Amino acid sequence: GADAALPAGAPALVARARAALGGPADVVFDCVAREQSMAQATDLVAKGGHIVVVGVGAAGTTPIRLDLIQDRELRVEGTLMYTGEDYSTAMSLIASGTVDTDEIVTATYALEDAARAFAASTDPQHVKVLVTVDGP
C-alpha cells in the first residue's frame, strides 16, 4: 500500500517524499536512527506530527534539531519491543502473500556462515540478511 519507495540517499529525498504524499507526513518511522535519517524525519513530518524511532542508534549521541522539535510541536517516541500480536500479524501478512519477502530478504546464509552474514548486513545494498538453521 505504499505510495512510493525512495532510497535514503535519494537526491531531494524530503521534497520527493512530500510530493509522493501530497504534503508532509503525519507519522514518520525512522528505522535507522542516525543523524541523517533523524534530520530527514524531522524535515518530512508535519507540524504536530509524530516521529517513531524504531532503529537502534549508535552508542553515544545522535544530534537532532531540538529547535524544530519544539517550534513545530513534534513528538519523538522510541520503540523497541514487539508483542505476540505483532508477530502473528506479520506472519499472517507473509503467509497470505500480502508481503512479498523476496523483495525484502536480500541475502541468506547458513548458520556456519553467520560471521559473513553479519558482515553483509552492514552493506547498504542489503535490506534484510537472514541466517538459516537447518534441522532440530
Side-chain angles (χ1 to χ4, degrees):
D3 295 321
L6 303 168
L13 174 79
V14 171
R16 290 174 61 188
R18 283 179 176 241
L21 293 169
D26 294 322
V27 179
V28 174
F29 290 87
D30 182 343
C31 299
V32 181
R34 298 292 186 267
E35 182 176 359
Q36 179 184 359
S37 62
M38 283 300 296
Q40 290 169 336
T42 303
D43 290 343
L44 182 56
V45 73
K47 180 177 174 70
H50 196 162
I51 300 170
V52 181
V53 182
V54 179
V56 178
T61 61
T62 301
I64 59 172
R65 295 279 312 268
L66 289 178
D67 58 322
L68 295 178
I69 302 295
Q70 187 273 329
D71 288 347
R72 295 179 48 219
E73 300 175 328
L74 304 179
R75 290 169 295 172
V76 179
E77 177 181 350
T79 183
L80 180 61
M81 300 309 220
Y82 305 99
T83 66
E85 183 180 336
D86 294 333
Y87 282 105
S88 294
T89 300
M91 288 185 288
S92 294
L93 290 169
I94 291 169
S96 70
T98 302
V99 173
D100 182 4
T101 58
D102 290 340
E103 294 181 11
I104 300 170
V105 178
T106 54
T108 303
Y109 291 84
L111 181 59
E112 56 268 15
D113 293 324
R116 286 183 47 219
F118 280 101
S121 72
T122 65
D123 182 339
Q125 297 298 316
H126 287 297
V127 176
K128 181 70 172 177
V129 176
L130 294 182
V131 174
T132 61
V133 180
D134 293 328

